[in-house]
Amino acid sequence: MSRKFFGTDGIRGRTNEGVMTAATAMRVGQAAGTHFLRGGHRHRVVIGKDTRLSGYMMESALVAGFTSVGMDVIMTGPLPTPAIALLTREMRADLGVMISASHNPYEDNGIKLFGPDGFKLSDEAEASIELLLEQEPLLVQADRIGRARRIDDARGRYIHAIKQSVASDIRFDGLKVVVDCANGAAYQVAPSAIWELGADVIAMGVEPDGTNINRDVGSTSLDAIKARVVEEGADIGIALDGDADRLIVIDEKGHAVDGDQIMGLIASRLHARGDLTGGGVVATVMSNLGLERYLQGQGLTLERAKVGDRYVLEKMKQGGFNIGGEQSGHMILLDHATTGDGTVAALRVLASLVRSGKPASELLHVFDPVPQLLKNVRYSGGKPLEVDSVKAVIAEAEKELEGTGRLVIRPSGTEPVIRVMAEGDDAAQVERVVDRICDAVKDAA
């Protein structure tokens, strides 16, 4: 079945256009609520959001939808995506909803759904909800309409929970940490959690006004935090995205550290303690070959999934892995969270910094990345990757890189773009290979 509403990470789009309207949000509440009505107990949904202006509108519409089919609603206000996953489990809710478009600009918004176990919904569950969205809602009688309430202690619950990911003998005293919250969902909880563990916190991106989420701050806009870390003489910088499921670290020299290095650090620390499960790490096809070689040197594997944290999580659950993530900064630590949690990952990095006594630039340079180049080719129509001339050039490139590098070519799931990525020990060779394939795609498009 084709998917009209759900993409690879819930429902997302420009607010008041297409699928991202208040009317659709109400229908999602009705459909998802109906799908999760099972048994005779009072049913409950937890709804959180980031700091977008449209969050109020979408929240109100979802509340109307859920209550109209008999579900009680608990609203938390702005909280990170992983906090909603956690609270859904802790409060014995039937499902959880996060209103966020993650690292997108404020004009966009999205709806992510979590099951009662705190994990994102399966493809099958989303397909069932899609079918219900096309049908008339089953409204309950007046005496069974759900109630809605807002809770005040959600932030404190989440802070308490994530602090448990740090060993009781670890304190961050003496660390100066710049925390950039992207004017997003973690603007209160992330600085508070790190401060409560003893660090001297310099917070930025903590003044949301509804329209400035991810704007010139956060994990996808690093110039500001790089400059601030150096200016303040900080030990480290922590950059989150709008819904705080993504982490990029800045070392004391102002250099960015991506998800591959962070995964390598956390995995090697857990492996040394005998706490790494699955025999390695799950990443995506975009993670650097240097990470794979580093893990192999420790007798560990790098399992690769399709791009998208949901695919990483699926492979983690299948293989019993407790560490996974993406080069872009999604960090999934299943011992502590059911989805990507940038703040939990940051706490693990800070704890390693304390234990090692090394500067961040040394601690977080886990491996030497091999040269990697990604280029996008936009096309107007057709299927250029199925053209014989393009297939021939790709086959030639794969043969050339065999044993020394890797090639990943994939169409974008959201726009008419072919992404061409190559990596290998010879930077000039990598560039030649990428350019040849891009030229072939352009000629065929």
Side-chain angles (χ1 to χ4, degrees), residues 121-123 309-319:
L121 298 190
S122 66
D123 288 340
D309 62 322
R310 69 179 295 165
Y311 302 115
V312 172
L313 180 59
E314 284 175 8
K315 186 156 283 196
M316 290 175 69
K317 292 168 73 176
Q318 290 167 3

Side-chain angles (χ1 to χ4, degrees), residues 79-124:
L79 270 185
T81 290
I84 301 308
L86 180 146
L87 289 170
T88 299
R89 285 192 306 168
E90 281 203 347
M91 303 190 76
R92 310 297 191 268
D94 298 277
L95 77 157
V97 182
M98 179 64 183
I99 305 166
S100 175
S102 190
H103 57 278
N104 287 26
Y106 89 94
E107 293 92 346
D108 295 345
N109 215 330
I111 300 171
K112 303 179 187 182
L113 301 178
F114 295 93
D117 56 2
F119 288 101
K120 290 180 180 178
L121 298 190
S122 66
D123 288 340
E124 293 75 19

Side-chain angles (χ1 to χ4, degrees), residues 10 26 30 48 111 121 129 154 167 186 205 243 264 294 298 314 320 348 356 386 395 402 411:
M26 185 172 73
Q30 291 169 330
I111 300 171
L121 298 190
I129 294 170
D243 69 334
Y294 169 74
Q298 298 185 58
E314 284 175 8
R348 302 301 307 155
S356 72
E386 297 181 10
E402 187 175 1

Side-chain angles (χ1 to χ4, degrees), residues 45 48 98 126 198 246 256 269 310 326 358 385 419 422 435:
V45 55
M98 179 64 183
E126 289 183 349
R246 184 184 298 205
R269 293 266 164 172
R310 69 179 295 165
E326 297 187 274
K358 297 177 181 178
L385 292 183
R419 307 195 193 284
D435 286 343

